[in-house]
Amino acid sequence: MPIKVLPIQLSSLEDLVRLIADIRKERSVLISYKESGKYVVGFYLPPQVKNIHGIFVYTSMNELPDIISYSPNDGGVEVFKTEYIESPLYVNIFVSKLAKSPHEFVELEDVDVVKVDVNDIKSLIYLAYSTSFEHLIVPFMWYLEDENTFLINVEVPSSDDGEDNLLIFKFKNSDLNVEKPYLVYDPKEDSITFSEVPKDLSKKYVLIVKVKKFFMV
């Protein structure tokens, strides 16, 4: 019987690679399987509600390499390669090819979802740093391209009545043009910019993960 997962479909392989390298680092492994003539490739995030085994973050591809080597900053440049690279600057991401999918996509049910609008992108950056995985040097937030919306989903401990809770912080702004993968906040200048690579330790960086389809609308 397949496991039950919530789906998050990303906009590109680059978004997927950036995210898994940020979270798993040298332990990065993607799983893949073929469906309708295309490869579905992704990895699991921990479940945030009961009765769900995880969240499957994925993208679809026509061709699939055996390995993807990624550096967020090699001489000031982000690099993607399809070969093993023996360098501390690179994360080698192996791709495990499965005969069939081990999971099935399900919808979010019987969950009290609390959506909170955030007034500005700076506030969302602060929340990204306070609510993300503790081991992350660079936290991340989702960016729903079709809706021009940034969001963070946060697991909330179950209440005494056993009800599942999920908290979603979101910020929608049509003025921000997301062309680069990192959002940068400079606390000294109180300014927001975008960057190709994380390079200045005095600033706060957030990885922007572009999403094609999120499990919550």
Side-chain angles (χ1 to χ4, degrees), residues 26-40:
E26 68 277 357
R27 296 172 63 89
S28 296
V29 173
L30 295 167
I31 68 165
S32 68
Y33 56 90
K34 216 163 188 182
E35 188 173 86
S36 301
K38 284 194 170 186
Y39 290 100
V40 176

Side-chain angles (χ1 to χ4, degrees), residues 168-179:
I168 292 181
F169 295 107
K170 63 178 185 172
F171 173 71
K172 181 167 183 165
N173 191 312
S174 58
D175 296 332
L176 289 171
N177 188 11
V178 184
E179 293 183 350

Side-chain angles (χ1 to χ4, degrees), residues 104-184:
E104 65 176 348
F105 292 150
V106 296
E107 295 182 359
L108 195 61
E109 296 179 346
D110 302 321
V111 177
D112 184 13
V113 180
V114 179
K115 298 179 184 179
V116 180
D117 290 323
V118 178
N119 288 345
D120 53 66
I121 194 67
K122 285 191 297 183
S123 297
L124 200 62
I125 291 172
Y126 303 151
L127 290 167
Y129 269 85
S130 65
T131 61
S132 66
F133 301 119
E134 291 184 1
H135 68 279
L136 291 186
I137 297 174
V138 178
F140 69 91
M141 63 176 70
W142 310 108
Y143 175 64
L144 282 56
E145 288 194 287
D146 287 348
E147 301 175 32
N148 198 24
T149 298
F150 300 85
L151 64 82
I152 301 169
N153 51 301
V154 181
E155 180 181 3
V156 179
S158 297
S159 56
D160 293 337
D161 58 11
E163 220 176 59
D164 260 351
N165 300 276
L166 186 64
L167 179 59
I168 292 181
F169 295 107
K170 63 178 185 172
F171 173 71
K172 181 167 183 165
N173 191 312
S174 58
D175 296 332
L176 289 171
N177 188 11
V178 184
E179 293 183 350
K180 299 177 181 178
Y182 292 94
L183 188 60
V184 189

Side-chain angles (χ1 to χ4, degrees), residues 24 29 31 41 50 68 72 87-88 102 119 125 155 178 195 200:
R24 302 276 170 81
V29 173
I31 68 165
V41 56
K50 292 182 299 186
I68 303 165
S87 167
N119 288 345
I125 291 172
E155 180 181 3
V178 184
S195 176
D200 187 344

Side-chain angles (χ1 to χ4, degrees), residues 3-15:
I3 62 174
K4 296 178 180 180
V5 298
L6 296 171
I8 298 180
Q9 184 179 4
L10 302 188
S11 299
S12 70
L13 178 65
E14 288 78 11
D15 286 288

